[in-house]
Amino acid sequence: MARRNYHHGELRAALLDAAEALVRERGADGWSLREASARVGVSSSAAYHHFASRDALVRALRQRVLGELGERLGQEVGRTSGPEAGADHQRRLVAVGRTYVQWAVDDPSVARLAFGAGASAGDQASGATSDAATSLHPHDVLDAELDLLVEVGGLPAAARPGADFVVWAAVHGLATLLVDGLARLGDPRAVAREAERVVRAVLTGLTHEAVPSQGWPTPHSAHTERRTESRTGRGAGK
């Protein structure tokens, strides 16, 4: 194995790149930290300076992937903000759904890593990394767009609590069906159209739903719980 020298910070990024390539080749569990180290030409001991274990490397990669997805969702939403959008207030959330589903279909192994079994528990136990604290999480994009939809009158305020999990469940469900081969669509245009149908159907249902007097349950995720804790901590510090 040819040894390579890395400047500070470069080795960490190189190990993450190597891990991502291994995930695409073998899945989330079919490789070791030693293999990732060999890919970038360093010893395992050098890798341990950045990641205490393979699990730590996987957690960091997951956070990077989610940050990249969040940025991608935000960029696609931005492209729908022109005057051609007109009065179609759902269009921005349609862009979120289309982009999410197409990302999962195009990169299924990485998508499984990001949202696979055990992801939430492991990340919650480890806490957010510094990268996660500065990146745009996909759930934050979804939340912001739903809040905007309420502001412009496209969604009743009474329907907003928990709506993020309703939309996510539908969009992620479609993505999972396609990735696992349980549903098939002919081409990317069909995937985009089906994602649009799912998002619009859910938003239409939320707009016309009858909210029970006791309200709906309020789901949480590892990310939303960390976000709430962060906001509570900042408020207490004022």
Side-chain angles (χ1 to χ4, degrees), residues 54-90:
R54 179 192 176 281
D55 287 345
L57 175 56
V58 169
R59 287 193 295 268
L61 176 58
R62 182 178 294 121
Q63 295 293 352
R64 188 176 79 166
V65 167
L66 289 172
E68 291 172 348
L69 175 59
E71 294 293 338
R72 180 172 169 180
L73 295 177
Q75 290 169 5
E76 290 300 321
V77 165
R79 294 190 181 100
T80 69
S81 301
E84 69 278 3
D88 185 0
H89 299 312
Q90 295 181 352

Side-chain angles (χ1 to χ4, degrees), residues 39-161:
R39 285 277 177 116
V40 299
V42 300
S43 65
S44 298
S45 59
Y48 283 126
H49 287 295
H50 296 275
F51 302 104
S53 65
R54 179 192 176 281
D55 287 345
L57 175 56
V58 169
R59 287 193 295 268
L61 176 58
R62 182 178 294 121
Q63 295 293 352
R64 188 176 79 166
V65 167
L66 289 172
E68 291 172 348
L69 175 59
E71 294 293 338
R72 180 172 169 180
L73 295 177
Q75 290 169 5
E76 290 300 321
V77 165
R79 294 190 181 100
T80 69
S81 301
E84 69 278 3
D88 185 0
H89 299 312
Q90 295 181 352
R91 183 168 176 168
R92 292 168 65 94
L93 278 160
V94 167
V96 171
R98 283 176 167 175
T99 304
Y100 185 103
V101 173
Q102 194 61 59
W103 164 78
V105 170
D106 290 344
D107 208 352
S109 294
V110 171
R112 289 190 181 99
L113 172 82
F115 294 108
S120 297
D123 291 347
Q124 190 171 30
S126 65
T129 65
S130 58
D131 290 344
T134 58
S135 62
L136 183 62
H137 194 281
H139 203 127
D140 295 337
V141 178
L142 177 58
D143 271 340
E145 292 307 317
L146 284 166
D147 289 343
L148 179 60
L149 191 62
V150 173
E151 289 177 15
V152 300
L155 182 70
R160 175 63 185 90

Side-chain angles (χ1 to χ4, degrees), residues 165-182:
F165 284 92
V166 176
V167 175
W168 183 23
V171 171
H172 187 74
L174 173 60
T176 301
L177 289 173
L178 293 172
V179 166
D180 290 346
L182 299 175

Side-chain angles (χ1 to χ4, degrees), residues 1 162 174 197 207 221:
M1 177 179 67
L174 173 60
R197 182 184 184 187
T207 299
S221 68

